[in-house]
Amino acid sequence: MAFARCQPMRVLDELAQIRDLLAKCDAPLWSRSDAEVASGLETGWACVQQALAVTARLVHEAENRGIPHDEAQSSTPVWLRQRLRASIREAKQLTELGQALDRSPALATAISDGTLSAEQARTIAASIAALPDDTGDDRTTAAEAALISYAKEFDPVLLARLGARILAHVDPEAADRHDAEALARQEARAHRDRGFTMSPTGDGRVRLSGWLPDAAAAIVNAAVDPLSRPARDDTGDPALTRTPTQRRADALVDICNRAMRGGGDLPSANGDPAQVVVTIPLDTLRSTPAGPAGPADPADPADPADPADPADPADPADPADRADPADRADPAGRAGRAGRAGRADPDGPVGLVGGERGRLSGAGRLDTGAPISATEARLLACDAHVLPAVLGTDGQVLDIGQARRLFTGPLRRAIILRDGGCCFPGCDRPAAWCDGHHLVPWAEGGATSLSNGCLLCRHHHGVIHRTGWEVRLAGDGRPEFLPPASIDPLRRPRRNTFHRRE
């Protein structure tokens, strides 16, 4: 073909003639057969690749002569962007192709003959450049020849995969040695870069980010994956259907909750077992009804129970509400809300929270200093490893709960025998992943007893506290649930038949 046969002295003249010929290739093709159209497509594609090769060599020649520098451009791709009105990406690819063809006569010949595309040539060049430094010239040549032959069958993506393993084809022993060295470097980097960050955003959420080595990530995934699969916990309300990311977030909290409930293997903090402290005024806890029927907490504009807040859906295991960020930044404006020690405040009592005295603003705070709504505090108060610190109107501590006083020991075993697992209709979560829920809240005098408790997974625990669902014990002593009128206008009782089939 003309592109492959151009003599050095005639390249520019030949290119001008080829342009004239291409300009005439605009006749209608409807009269040509299917075979001719397909064959013409292949020929046209080969012409495009050959033209790119000639263009890339011209780019490399201009680069060697310093033309981009003489025209005061910062780089060859920038010069091409100005000269050819090409994108930076296209300009970089042309520059790289020109350099690759200059280094490899075999690649230049293959693309000039039209048997190799420009992208395939760049892929092969990158694979050869990635070979270990101690690879001999003969092995390098053999690897390049093998990849050029593979290009007749494979596209650039598959060719890149073959290129990543080409050393194993031409020198298996060296490939094994270099693979072991590369794996050791990779593992060392993963171990060095491992990290976990919890960053409060100041709007009721905490952003989690970090890196784990592959082996450590496999352990985490093995624990999270079974709990984050779509479970049979559909309430019939689309607003409560969890996304995959929400299920994984809930699973992470479930795992930590189970670890805290067991407590045996967790390190202590200042002599106390791992636990969460919730500080809230007693009047607020008693006067704030659960579910959407009650008013939203006026002191917590990011209240997840507020249906008008689309930015924070009702996620019962939102880590922003109960996580302990070890390296958190001080939320914006928190210092400005701090009250004076021991002084009553009209907007909320002053309580000792996380080593600081902060204004409760009518709701509650975690021991991390993060504010929570009264609804969320009621949910946490059911958890066996949450310490409810109840304050009076002048901020004095009225009650500090005991970390293990709720549904533990023989009482929890009795509830497990009765419920079998999460007793919400359709849920298959086992008992080990469930909280003990007070049917009558403890703040309202509800007893910690078999007749006032049931097992709920973390997701459905949030459903009961934040929505119109209600739970009660039926005449036979087993839990039954009343759906909101929006789901069933008659509010007919429902039961979980998964754990105990009747």
Side-chain angles (χ1 to χ4, degrees):
M1 296 188 62
F3 285 124
R5 302 290 181 262
C6 289
Q7 298 300 317
M9 299 298 294
R10 300 179 54 192
V11 170
L12 301 183
D13 294 337
E14 294 283 358
L15 284 176
Q17 295 178 20
I18 291 169
R19 286 200 65 189
D20 291 339
L21 290 172
L22 290 175
K24 299 176 182 179
C25 294
D26 60 352
L29 301 173
W30 61 267
S31 62
R32 311 308 291 263
S33 67
D34 292 352
E36 289 175 324
V37 170
S39 177
L41 175 64
E42 293 177 354
T43 301
W45 177 250
C47 288
V48 170
Q49 305 310 312
Q50 290 172 300
L52 281 175
V54 174
T55 306
R57 284 197 287 268
L58 289 169
V59 169
H60 189 65
E61 180 66 22
E63 190 174 38
N64 286 342
R65 295 187 182 193
I67 297 176
H69 180 268
D70 293 342
E71 296 188 9
Q73 297 300 324
S74 59
S75 66
T76 301
V78 172
W79 176 67
L80 291 174
R81 183 180 63 182
Q82 299 292 332
R83 189 87 179 186
L84 305 180
R85 296 168 300 283
S87 69
I88 284 293
R89 179 174 178 272
E90 290 176 314
K92 287 182 177 179
Q93 289 177 344
L94 273 176
T95 303
E96 292 170 358
L97 180 61
Q99 295 169 351
L101 298 182
D102 182 68
R103 290 192 301 265
S104 173
L107 280 181
T109 299
I111 195 171
S112 295
D113 289 342
T115 59
L116 198 67
S117 72
E119 189 172 358
Q120 285 176 317
R122 288 195 303 271
T123 300
I124 294 174
S127 299
I128 297 302
L131 290 174
D133 294 337
D134 59 354
T135 304
D137 291 341
D138 55 338
R139 301 295 186 186
T140 300
T141 301
E144 186 179 57
L147 290 174
I148 291 175
S149 66
Y150 296 154
K152 299 176 182 179
E153 302 179 42
F154 302 105
D155 62 65
V157 174
L158 294 178
L159 197 60
R161 296 178 184 175
L162 293 171
R165 297 295 305 162
I166 193 62
L167 185 61
H169 176 72
V170 298
D171 193 349
E173 293 183 1
D176 291 341
R177 182 177 68 257
H178 287 292
D179 284 349
E181 294 173 354
L183 181 60
R185 290 193 300 269
Q186 178 178 305
E187 291 179 346
R189 182 184 64 179
H191 181 75
R192 181 185 67 248
D193 293 345
R194 73 192 187 283
F196 179 62
T197 302
M198 302 177 67
S199 305
T201 61
D203 59 357
R205 296 177 297 175
V206 175
R207 181 175 182 83
L208 310 184
S209 61
W211 296 94
L212 286 176
D214 285 339
I219 295 173
V220 174
N221 187 67
V224 170
D225 184 65
L227 293 172
S228 57
R229 294 170 184 168
R232 293 186 291 273
D233 58 4
D234 187 6
T235 65
D237 186 351
L240 298 177
T241 301
R242 298 180 296 169
T243 65
T245 55
Q246 289 172 334
R247 290 197 302 269
R248 286 192 290 272
D250 291 352
L252 179 61
V253 177
D254 282 343
I255 292 169
C256 295
N257 186 54
R258 184 182 184 186
M260 290 179 65
R261 184 181 294 116
D265 296 331
L266 292 179
S268 62
N270 299 322
D272 291 326
Q275 57 198 10
V276 175
V277 178
V278 179
T279 308
I280 188 169
L282 182 61
D283 291 342
T284 300
L285 192 61
R286 285 178 171 171
S287 62
T288 305
D297 187 350
D300 187 3
D303 189 349
D306 183 359
D309 181 15
D312 195 358
D315 184 354
D318 190 349
D321 292 329
R322 56 180 67 92
D324 183 10
D327 56 353
R328 60 183 176 85
D330 188 33
R334 192 185 69 179
R337 296 193 299 268
R340 295 180 60 185
R343 180 177 178 181
D345 187 276
D347 295 328
V350 176
L352 184 62
V353 181
E356 301 177 0
R357 290 186 179 270
R359 208 165 70 189
L360 295 181
S361 300
R365 286 189 183 275
L366 301 173
D367 49 358
T368 64
I372 60 171
S373 67
T375 299
E376 185 72 8
R378 292 168 71 97
L379 189 155
L380 290 175
C382 288
D383 201 319
H385 268 269
V386 171
L387 293 178
V390 183
L391 304 183
T393 56
D394 59 354
Q396 80 276 22
V397 177
L398 298 181
D399 177 62
I400 293 290
Q402 298 299 315
R404 296 179 182 271
R405 70 180 180 88
L406 301 180
F407 300 110
T408 58
L411 176 56
R412 181 173 176 86
R413 288 195 291 271
I415 295 179
I416 291 174
L417 287 175
R418 184 193 68 192
D419 296 347
C422 177
C423 55
F424 195 92
C427 186
D428 61 356
R429 291 291 174 90
W433 301 100
C434 293
D435 300 333
H437 170 69
H438 288 80
L439 304 183
V440 178
W442 66 269
E444 298 175 8
T448 303
S449 63
L450 181 62
S451 61
N452 191 46
C454 67
L455 293 180
L456 290 174
C457 71
R458 183 51 55 102
H459 172 61
H460 289 120
H461 200 174
V463 168
I464 292 300
H465 277 276
R466 289 174 173 155
T467 72
W469 282 84
E470 297 178 12
V471 57
R472 68 187 183 189
L473 290 188
D476 60 359
R478 292 179 182 171
E480 63 180 15
F481 294 77
L482 305 178
S486 59
I487 295 178
D488 181 2
L490 300 179
R491 304 201 71 194
R492 287 166 291 195
R494 302 183 184 185
R495 290 193 179 192
N496 185 312
T497 59
F498 178 83
H499 301 291
R500 184 183 297 276
R501 305 187 184 279
E502 301 175 338

